[in-house]
Amino acid sequence: MASLSARIFLCFALMMATCLMIGVNGSLEGGQREFDYFALSLQWPGTICRRTRHCCSSNACCRGSNSPTEFTIHGLWPDYNDGTWPSCCARSQFDVKEISTLLDALEKYWPSLYCGQTSTCFSGKGIFWAHEWEKHGTCSSPVVRDEYSYFITTLNVYFKYNVTKILNEAGYVPSNSERYPLGGIVSAIQNSFQATPEVICSKDAVEEIRLCFYKDFKPRNCLASKTSCPKYVSLPAYLSLGREESESDVAWISDGEAL
Ligand code: U2P
């Protein structure tokens, strides 16, 4: 009899723990409900790197001739259809050891384009990947379950939907003098992926392109939002900064100083 009540108590405790973790109506820890779709946010180094004033080893803009010249990953973001998004959904602190086999690919395709660390959900400040995992990755369940699967899934989607290649093939090549019709850039991506992207600009320069996906990673339209871009946009070419540049006016600072 005693063991039956112990078992009932154990079942009850397990049910309570499960409810606390995922919420009674499918919401995640912290009361946030499950997301509706993913946005893969890509950044354009030519636009971001020309704003660089201080170089440090953690900033890929400062790699001279090895600096990125293609769209790189900003993050894979779980989003809601109403234009909002969940963030910091579980207390899963970033651990670089979990993605040690991916580091070469991440350095190349998902580098930070800034000096300094960025905010993390529970541990103060951390590297770019820690920010993206804690803020967005932890909200990607049940599709993405852990840190390793968040990063490998994002890399795989990025490789499958190569925006730089699509734009180059359509004649939209990096240039510091050309202006391109925004509609042409959007159409080139729509024609290739059968879905409408979101384009974010800094003045007239393309800064980010976002591709949207259903939870099974089939492309879908991003939300129709007021774009931050004018009708004609630029895709600035990367201008070398940093150590190879003997007359560069970009000052090198240590990563510690950048914090
Ligand atoms: O757009 C400015 C910042 O808001 C965050 N963002 C934007 C759109 C979205 O769907 N989800 C989202 O999180 C981004 O914040 P970050 O990941 O850089 O912290 C974006 O930079």
Side-chain angles (χ1 to χ4, degrees), residues 21-237:
M21 284 299 292
I22 58 174
V24 280
N25 52 8
S27 64
L28 302 160
E29 189 183 317
Q32 300 177 81
R33 66 184 198 280
E34 196 180 311
F35 70 103
D36 296 322
Y37 72 96
F38 283 113
L40 175 69
S41 186
L42 305 170
Q43 37 194 7
W44 181 246
T47 299
I48 295 172
C49 294
R50 66 184 185 171
R51 297 199 295 256
T52 302
R53 293 292 166 263
H54 298 290
C55 263
C56 59
S57 64
S58 60
N59 183 348
C61 293
C62 304
R63 291 180 190 161
S65 54
N66 290 322
S67 296
T69 51
E70 306 205 334
F71 279 93
T72 57
I73 300 168
H74 181 162
L76 183 68
W77 299 340
D79 280 342
Y80 294 129
N81 286 326
D82 66 4
T84 65
W85 54 87
S87 64
C88 302
C89 294
R91 285 193 166 269
S92 173
Q93 212 165 306
F94 177 76
D95 180 359
V96 76
K97 290 198 290 300
E98 292 196 21
I99 51 168
S100 54
T101 55
L102 303 178
L103 291 181
D104 287 348
L106 294 173
E107 290 288 357
K108 188 161 180 203
Y109 304 112
W110 196 336
S112 172
L113 301 178
Y114 299 90
C115 288
Q117 298 206 324
T118 153
S119 66
T120 53
C121 294
F122 308 110
S123 50
K125 292 221 164 232
I127 58 175
F128 181 40
W129 304 325
H131 170 84
E132 292 299 313
W133 160 247
E134 292 190 14
K135 180 175 175 186
H136 303 286
T138 61
C139 301
S140 308
S141 68
V143 180
V144 168
R145 293 160 319 282
D146 55 36
E147 187 186 309
Y148 179 81
S149 80
Y150 177 68
F151 286 96
I152 190 81
T153 302
T154 308
L155 285 169
N156 285 335
V157 178
Y158 169 79
F159 292 139
K160 185 162 180 192
Y161 298 95
N162 188 334
V163 168
T164 314
K165 182 164 170 265
I166 295 304
L167 294 186
N168 287 348
E169 286 172 359
Y172 302 116
V173 292
S175 163
N176 288 315
S177 51
E178 288 289 319
R179 292 285 176 279
Y180 301 117
L182 175 65
I185 288 182
V186 169
S187 298
I189 295 172
Q190 276 172 333
N191 292 340
S192 298
F193 305 150
Q194 276 70 55
T196 309
E198 185 183 1
V199 186
I200 308 292
C201 289
S202 168
K203 302 207 174 109
D204 72 347
V206 172
E207 177 155 329
E208 297 218 344
I209 290 186
R210 295 178 188 155
L211 304 178
C212 297
F213 299 92
Y214 294 105
K215 291 179 187 179
D216 60 1
F217 292 103
K218 297 227 165 64
R220 57 158 266 174
N221 293 340
C222 293
L223 298 182
S225 60
K226 264 204 331 200
T227 178
S228 55
C229 301
K231 276 202 169 137
Y232 285 84
V233 296
S234 65
L235 204 55

